[in-house]
Amino acid sequence: MKIHCKFVVIVICFGVLLLLYFLVGNAADEPPLKEVANDNSFPPSSGLGKIVSVKLGKKPRLSRLSQNQPRPNRREGKVTHRGGFVNAKLRQKNEAGRPVSGSALSEDWMHLAVVACGSRLDETLTLIKSALLFSVKKIKFHIFTEDALASPFQKGLSKWPRHVSSRFQYSVYPITFSVGNAEEWKKLFKPCAAQRLFLPVILKDVDSLLYVDTDVLFLRPLDDIWSFLKEFNSTQLAAMAPEHEIPKIGWYSRFARHPFYGVTGVNSGVMLMNLTRIRSTLFKNNMISTGLSWEDLLHPLYQKYRNHITWGDQDLLNIIFHFNPECLYTFPCQWNYRPDHCMYGSNCKGAEEEGVAILHGNRGAYHDDKQPAFKAVYDAIHDYPFDDNIFQSLFYPLQTKFLDTVNTLCGRIPQVFLKQVEKTMKTLYEQKVIVRVKRPHK
């Protein structure tokens, strides 16, 4: 009997020990609540394709280009309501930079900024549509516009089908200038165009960004130009294409009354930027012996050259990179293809070989009959209904439209405009339709 009692006591003690072990073990496996609460990485939108906050959180992802750069001051924005503006009064924070691990450097989102004022609503929506047609990664659009256009943008973007809206987010911002006279900046060139100069100052939480004019169309994935960021060397922080390929017919080489980059200057209609590097760089200039930050440089530079610039903010960018040529990466002309590349004879070899990657219909090329080839591309993308059959609903109508342009200066080389579109759509078709069945293992 005594032996039996001892056995029962031992079993009970062993059971209590096991119970304590499991209780303590489970408690240790619980994630610390404080850490979870502080994890504010870029959130998924509650409705993708809707306006979302530009707050990226405590640990913004940095590209490989800037992982050793000090973290700049950050600002947080709030959305006042769905379809409303991001708050222009942004709160500054100072945080010490720290290196980012390789796993955190993968960029899930590409960022594209556009400034649209006046009658540019429809043109901008067509630009955004072209970016979404072919791109692989998801895109965050930063739309800077006037109060009156905020609601129309929301209405236009909300009409697109779910399979499209799930691939992007967007934020709408008011037109703001952090230094100088706002009215002067607004009238510098086209309405509100000077806003692009202030993107590094406003978008504090964005590491890298592609800025494009509203009259730009993507004919191949945005991912491809985004990949140029990886080609920057240790000093480069922005990329643009030359203003012209031939100096003797280029505008800057013949008429500029101010310093400009290189031999023919650069065109700012397509500008890829590492904002982190821009914010942390002191730029050489011809006003003071020491360097100036981007924000501190803009207004004095404008004051000095205001009577000598013709193309507004683009001229100021040319002046900046004239004194800081090591900071600029130049990409080939097919990434910013304009009427100048074909109306005086074909002078963009890259487009002839690879096809146009980004079409820039400046000087109203999409909206008159002076450049039918440019208008044909714009109309085809504008009218595309986001049908699943992209060949039937987009490519075939585009080919048909080009039949009417073959006797024009730019339309006589249709392969330049169609080559990349056909190649990109073929790739998309193969990814969606052709199923490769793996052979069974022997």
Side-chain angles (χ1 to χ4, degrees), residues 438-442:
K438 294 182 179 180
R439 293 180 180 178
H441 294 289
K442 293 182 180 180

Side-chain angles (χ1 to χ4, degrees), residues 56-155:
L56 299 182
K58 299 285 185 182
K59 299 178 181 178
R61 292 172 177 163
L62 301 179
S63 73
R64 294 185 185 275
L65 300 168
S66 57
Q67 60 179 319
N68 294 323
Q69 297 289 342
R71 182 178 293 181
N73 292 341
R74 300 172 64 251
R75 297 179 181 180
E76 296 179 348
K78 295 181 180 178
V79 179
T80 55
H81 56 82
R82 225 180 224 185
F85 282 135
V86 173
N87 190 355
K89 297 180 180 179
L90 302 174
R91 200 156 46 90
Q92 288 190 346
K93 289 185 178 181
N94 292 320
E95 294 183 354
R98 52 186 163 181
V100 180
S101 65
S103 60
L105 291 172
S106 59
E107 186 67 53
D108 294 328
W109 292 82
M110 299 179 292
H111 293 261
L112 186 145
V114 62
V115 180
C117 291
S119 59
R120 300 284 182 163
L121 172 67
D122 205 38
E123 191 174 77
T124 307
L125 290 173
T126 306
L127 151 69
I128 294 174
K129 180 191 284 189
S130 74
L132 292 169
L133 278 177
F134 306 128
S135 296
V136 179
K137 291 181 182 178
K138 293 182 179 181
I139 307 172
K140 173 66 184 292
F141 295 102
H142 302 269
I143 304 169
F144 291 80
T145 191
E146 301 163 302
D147 292 8
L149 292 181
S151 181
F153 265 115
Q154 182 188 10
K155 185 180 296 184

